[in-house]
Amino acid sequence: MSRNINTQRRHFLQYTGIASAAAAFPGLTQAMNQSVGNRPSPDFHPDVEIEFKLESVSIPIFPGPDTRVWKVYGKVLKGPQQSLENLPGSYLAPTLHLQTGQKVRIYLRNNLPAETILHWHGLHVPSKMDGNPMYAIHHGGTFVYEFEILNRAGTYWYHAHTHSVTAKQVYSGLAGLIIVNDPEELAVGLPKGAYDVPLVIQDRSFDSNNQLQYSNHMMQRMRGFLGNRIMINGEPDFVLPVENRSYRLRLLNGSNSRIYKLAWDDGSPVTLVGTDGGLIPAPKNLPYIMLAPAERRELWVDFSDKPVGTELTLRSIPFSGASMHGGMMGGGMMGGGMMGSRRGGMGGRMSGNALPAGGDYPVLKVKVVKQARSNDPLPQHLTLIKPLRLQDAVNRERPRTITLSMRHMSALLNGRSYKMNDIQPDEVIPVNSLQLMVFDNGYHGGHGMAMPHPMHLHGEQFQVIKREVNPRFRGMHASVSKGLADFGWKDTVLVMPGERVTILKPFNDFKGLFMYHCHNLEHEDLGMMRDFLIK
Ligand code: C2O
Ligand code: CU
Ligand code: CU
């Protein structure tokens, strides 16, 4: 199991962690930064070496004019060619296929007309390799990443993480998948190869000239961007052709702010086999699954009772609490089911022709096109996950509370906005400690705007311990609660309005700065992001 790998390597990592910690204290100067990621280290011997070129190009997405996007072109310089898969017909960045234990070096060459940096979402890597905005490189610059894949098998991803423009850069195309495999997971017997399908779900808006539309209006920044159409793997009008057999579908919500409530339109339950940090112990049948920005959900689905020609749709079905509401939290306006409906909520009225947040629309169309010759049954046991224990948390008596709030045109964590190198005493965490943390999204009522916040922590994956809902919000919460599915290892957790979510999060191996933020990318850019200093 991957935990064993982590333990075996801990000694080595603690040793190498000393160097990275030196560069991570507050007051760090720009001069010290210059050396980070500048050149390959002679002591690092990569199994896989990859070059990424970031270019502003036009690609054909629709009939008619090409669409200008920010595209990542990848090339394997060393190691297995199948480590990287370019997606030529898509604005998405290449998919990386990596193995646990592999050492990876990535040259990021920025040919964009803007500064940028990439972050490896969900991967446990040293602070300097984590894509903190302080490491952004200018046009013409190169950043050299070197890290080892310590994570267990799972669906991870990478995306731009540039100060105050992450949303715009991800929207323009700077995001791609990382699929990590390990021997334990391969032995489970889930569908493989062509039957293991990654699906990146994003909403986008295009103008009549086929160009991406994005605005910086304060309303959009407060609510988050909502597009008028769904793209799958960067393609419009996507239909997944399948054989009538079982499949493993790896869903990533790569949208800036849109939250999905996914259900099969034939009424079959959704069978969940994995989340952010890989497989869960056993499959779970759920009526629907929530998918917040940055979250991954792996579904198992069997089409074997469906004759060739059958069509099936994974829809986003209505739920409440999806959209911003201008009323005071706890003021009695939140309990009903109106918010997020086509008529209710400020967000709904302001979103123009966007698909309404919490509305009803198709997400993924599937068509059975071929008679299958084989099938893989659903394994009843998938993996072992040792639950983290409350008594092992060093701060079990005093959980770290992170209060989420939106007011005065700002989005805040513990009342603070993002600032580079601005570590406050309550943001310092001892390395190799297990921390009890609470995300509080107006659990006690209070002022400000009620919005869901998908909260993400960099570094190691965490486990969700409990959710508590303010009684006033219970009605609204009931429309999502059966699909929250806090199973297994997570790196992003959806915190609904009026809710308080408790997690146990390990901070092992690496010292330095690690970010925590809302993954509604407009909120992140608005300042709903901070750094922890691990020391
Ligand atoms: Cu996917 Cu700091 O984010
Ligand atoms: Cu991340
Ligand atoms: Cu948010």
Side-chain angles (χ1 to χ4, degrees), residues 390-398 430 432-436:
L390 189 59
Q391 63 260 43
D392 295 334
V394 295
N395 65 335
R396 60 193 168 274
E397 312 294 345
R398 287 172 298 106
N432 298 326
S433 67
L434 180 67
Q435 298 282 326
L436 183 64

Side-chain angles (χ1 to χ4, degrees), residues 369-384:
V369 295
K370 204 174 150 197
Q371 189 64 39
R373 301 189 177 277
S374 66
N375 205 0
D376 295 307
L378 176 62
Q380 286 313 303
H381 169 80
L382 301 169
T383 188
L384 278 172

